[in-house]
């Protein structure tokens, strides 16, 4: 039990450290750009992502213990805070700008999404006075979703073992359930080509 608390404490400290690192990086970037008099604007702010949906899906369902007690996955996978993301654009010229942003991440007892940082650029060309061609390239650092295992007591048959929380009551051997733990990266790279015309 002491080891479990220590492990949880280490994970919480690591999560806070990652969140502070992302926040510091974003503030440094914002300070450097605004100090040079660059125009910065908010492009997008939203709560939730494709990984938030994956984490929510893991919290569905449950099982019954041998004594009939119902165990719900929700208490392990439900987060009080949903991953918050924002995206900014710092305009360096009429046709070039730096895209940057961050996400807060989210954490529950058995699943977490790490904070993330986004960095990229946008280039625009005007083939004609009424048309605009835009190329957007950006990359995301961090933001990985990781599922944590549980400790289950299988009584005289198997004793106490580490197991995938969602598959603890399945017919799979506990060691095999650990192979089913979720570890997913966000879409690391974005490439977008847009054409806009006024008619």
């Amino acid at each position: 039990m002491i080891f479990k608390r220590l492990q949880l404490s280490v994970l919480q400290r690591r999560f806070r450290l990652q969140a502070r690192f992302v926040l510091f990086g974003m503030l440094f970037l914002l300070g450097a750009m605004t100090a040079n008099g660059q125009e910065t604007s908010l492009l997008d702010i939203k709560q939730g992502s494709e990984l938030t949906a994956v984490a929510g899906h893991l919290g569905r369902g449950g099982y019954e213990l041998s004594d009939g007690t119902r165990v719900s996955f929700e208490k392990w996978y439900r987060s009080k805070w949903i991953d918050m993301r924002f995206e900014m654009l710092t305009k360096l010229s009429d046709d070039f700008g730096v895209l940057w942003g961050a996400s807060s991440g989210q954490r529950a007892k058995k699943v977490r999404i790490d904070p993330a940082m986004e960095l990229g650029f946008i280039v625009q060309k005007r083939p004609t006075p009424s048309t605009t061609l835009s190329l957007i390239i950006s990359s995301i650092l961090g933001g990985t979703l990781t599922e944590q295992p549980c400790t289950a007591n299988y009584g005289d048959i198997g004793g106490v073992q580490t197991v995938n929380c969602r598959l603890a009551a399945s017919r799979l051997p506990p060691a095999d359930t650990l192979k089913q733990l979720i570890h997913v990266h966000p879409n690391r790279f974005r490439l977008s080509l847009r054409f806009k015309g006024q008619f």
Side-chain angles (χ1 to χ4, degrees):
M1 188 70 172
I2 295 174
F3 176 73
K4 187 176 179 182
R5 286 179 186 164
L6 182 62
Q7 190 179 27
L8 184 60
S9 176
V10 169
L11 288 174
Q12 288 172 340
R13 269 186 267 143
R14 188 184 303 163
F15 184 84
R16 287 190 203 111
L17 183 64
Q18 289 171 335
R20 288 178 188 153
F21 173 75
V22 168
L23 181 60
F24 176 77
M26 291 295 98
L27 290 175
F28 178 77
L29 188 60
L30 176 62
M33 290 180 172
T34 53
N36 291 329
Q38 308 299 341
E39 179 186 336
T40 299
S41 56
L42 178 67
L43 289 184
D44 189 26
I45 185 167
K46 64 181 177 181
Q47 210 166 15
S49 65
E50 68 278 359
L51 294 186
T52 301
V54 172
H57 182 72
L58 294 176
R60 296 179 187 164
Y63 52 78
E64 286 187 5
L65 300 177
S66 57
D67 63 0
T69 304
R70 175 76 180 167
V71 176
S72 172
F73 295 157
E74 186 177 10
K75 67 177 182 177
W76 292 326
Y77 294 94
R78 186 173 182 219
S79 176
K80 293 179 181 177
W81 173 261
I82 303 300
D83 189 20
M84 177 73 78
R85 297 166 177 259
F86 71 89
E87 187 177 43
M88 311 286 286
L89 171 64
T90 298
K91 193 174 178 182
L92 301 180
S93 71
D94 288 341
D95 295 322
F96 182 78
V98 175
L99 288 170
W100 56 280
S103 66
S104 64
Q106 70 181 58
R107 180 168 44 91
K109 286 184 179 179
K110 296 300 176 184
V111 68
R112 77 173 186 270
I113 300 174
D114 294 331
M117 186 166 56
E118 180 184 10
L119 192 59
F121 62 87
I122 178 170
V123 179
Q124 291 186 348
K125 293 295 179 187
R126 293 177 176 80
T128 68
S130 61
T131 60
T132 305
L133 187 63
S134 304
L135 174 66
I136 301 172
I137 297 176
S138 67
S139 180
I140 293 178
L141 305 172
T144 302
L145 181 148
T146 308
E147 183 181 11
Q148 303 297 322
C150 286
T151 300
N153 189 343
Y154 290 93
D156 296 335
I157 299 172
V160 177
Q161 296 192 48
T162 303
V163 66
N164 183 318
C165 305
R166 297 173 291 111
L167 301 174
S170 71
R171 295 173 182 257
L172 289 173
D176 289 348
T177 67
L178 296 177
K179 298 173 185 175
Q180 305 298 321
L181 290 172
I182 302 295
H183 186 83
V184 183
H185 299 289
N187 293 328
R188 294 282 190 206
F189 189 72
R190 179 177 64 160
L191 175 64
S192 174
L193 189 62
R194 298 177 184 171
F195 180 78
K196 181 180 177 182
Q198 295 178 345
F199 302 98

